[in-house]
Structures are given as structure tokens and as C-alpha cells.
Amino acid sequence: MSTSALLAPLTQGIQALGLSLTDAQVQQLLAYQDLLIKWNKVYNLTAVRDPQEMLSHHLLDSLSVLGALQRHAGDRALRIMDVGSGGGLPGVVIAIAAPQHQVTCVDTVGKKAFFIRQVAADLGLKSLAAEHARVENLPAHQADLVTSRAFASLVDFTNLTRQHLKPGGVWMAMKGKHPADELDALSLAAPGVDVFHVEQLQVPGLDAERCIVWMRPSA
């Protein structure tokens, strides 16, 4: 499927999410997906191969957090860490759609971090960086927000990344259906974490449950 054929469904999805992106940002999203398809042939960045499915499962799925993220940020420019970013999801999408935020994608696979750096260079995303490392081994990042899409359980996610949150910082974990079991485990294994909101998401073109688990270190 050509990029031009994906323009209409992407634009419709962006409108359904209530987002306002420029034509240049929409083209950057499509260019990012093109790079993902091209590099996926040798780097195995994602198991999703069909361009239409990539649009809903990757681009629109990542864009679905933008409204919630912007409500949290207000008029602040945030330092965001995307952990276990893989091919750059949601970090690259956030960097395109909300370039006022500084986004660092972290992955343990060198090829994936290299790909994200190449995307930043090719698309001129000055607010996007990538780290090839285990997140627990990185120096404290002083992030306003740490996010992940398919990284680990809530217990492991918060335990491994706590040192990267600045005072007042929050976690934004992207999940599928409401993770009741993970939340129960979190309350037992990580009593120093306060879950202050579980926010349901609706992804255009995706018939699956999605939510964000918002958390912060307990006082």
C-alpha cells in the first residue's frame, strides 16, 4: 500500500482522536512508517508487516495517548523517557506530534536504538534521542514522565525506572485491557507507587481495549 493511500485513514484517525496536527507532521508520521517498513526487513523492528495494520496498531495507537499527555503537560515542555521503545513506539510518534517535548527512547537492542537515531536525522526531529542500554544502568535521567508501551509488568516498569523520575515526575504505562492483576501485584510488591488514574483509550480502526495507567512515587 502506497503512502498516499494511507494519508486519508491517518488523517481521519487523527481527527477522530481530536488532535490538531500540521500537514508537515502528518507527512512525517507517514515517512516514519515508511522507514519502519524499510528497516524492518533487516532489523526485525516489529512483527506487524501490513501497512494498514501498522497505521492502526502503531501510529494511531501511539497517537491515542497524545490528548492525555497534553492535558498532563499543560503548557510545560516535558523531558520524556520511553523505555523498551523498540522501533520508537510511542517515543518517535510523540516527538513528531508534540515536538516541544524532549523525548529519549531507550532499548537494549543496539539496532533499534540506531534506527531511532536514523529516524531523528532523516526527519529532522531535534527533540528526539535514543540510548542503547538497559534502563536500570543509565545515569538518572531526571524525566518529567517515563512511559512504556510493551516493556514489562507494572512492578518491573516502576522498579527499573524509578531513579529516572525527577521529583514530581510520573509514569504513563500504556496497556491493553484494564490490568487488574498487575495493579494487584503492584500494590503488594511496590507499595511506594501511587496509581492515581487508569484512563481508557479508544484507538480509531483498532478493535481492542487500550488504557493508560498513571502512577507516581508515593510521598
Side-chain angles (χ1 to χ4, degrees):
M1 180 176 288
S2 67
T3 298
S4 59
L6 294 171
L7 177 59
L10 176 57
T11 302
Q12 290 163 7
I14 289 168
Q15 291 172 346
L17 289 169
L19 302 176
S20 180
L21 301 185
T22 66
D23 290 344
Q25 287 172 310
V26 173
Q27 290 301 320
Q28 282 182 317
L29 287 168
L30 291 172
Y32 165 54
Q33 177 161 308
D34 276 349
L35 289 169
L36 199 57
I37 292 169
K38 175 183 175 183
W39 286 60
N40 199 43
K41 295 172 183 176
V42 291
Y43 274 20
N44 194 29
L45 300 168
T46 171
V48 179
R49 307 283 176 175
D50 178 70
Q52 185 67 50
E53 196 174 351
M54 275 190 176
L55 191 71
S56 57
H57 285 64
H58 290 337
L59 294 191
L60 292 174
D61 189 51
S62 295
L63 284 169
S64 69
V65 306
L66 256 293
L69 174 61
Q70 293 301 78
R71 286 192 296 274
H72 171 75
D75 57 3
R76 297 178 297 151
L78 304 183
R79 286 175 59 89
I80 298 173
M81 175 181 272
D82 174 21
V83 181
S85 189
L89 300 158
V92 171
V93 173
I94 292 172
I96 291 172
Q100 69 273 28
H101 304 308
Q102 184 68 42
V103 180
T104 300
C105 297
V106 181
D107 204 275
T108 58
V109 179
K111 289 180 179 180
K112 293 178 179 179
F114 180 81
F115 168 73
I116 293 167
R117 293 188 191 111
Q118 192 63 47
V119 169
D122 287 357
L123 302 186
L125 302 176
K126 296 180 180 179
S127 65
L128 177 65
E131 292 278 2
H132 167 217
R134 298 184 69 85
V135 67
E136 63 269 30
N137 295 335
L138 285 173
H141 190 69
Q142 289 294 298
D144 298 287
L145 183 145
V146 177
T147 189
S148 73
R149 183 168 177 258
F151 172 62
S153 69
L154 294 176
V155 171
D156 288 343
F157 173 52
T158 53
N159 282 341
L160 292 171
T161 63
R162 180 186 292 267
Q163 73 273 21
H164 296 298
L165 280 180
K166 67 186 294 185
V170 301
W171 289 287
M172 184 184 79
M174 297 176 66
K175 292 291 180 178
K177 65 180 182 179
H178 189 283
D181 290 346
E182 286 192 44
L183 290 169
D184 289 343
L186 187 70
S187 66
L188 294 172
V193 175
D194 172 30
V195 178
F196 63 92
H197 187 34
V198 178
E199 184 167 357
Q200 298 299 315
L201 301 174
Q202 186 67 45
V203 181
L206 189 59
D207 185 20
E209 293 182 59
R210 291 289 188 269
C211 70
I212 299 170
V213 181
W214 290 96
M215 301 165 287
R216 59 190 164 214
S218 301

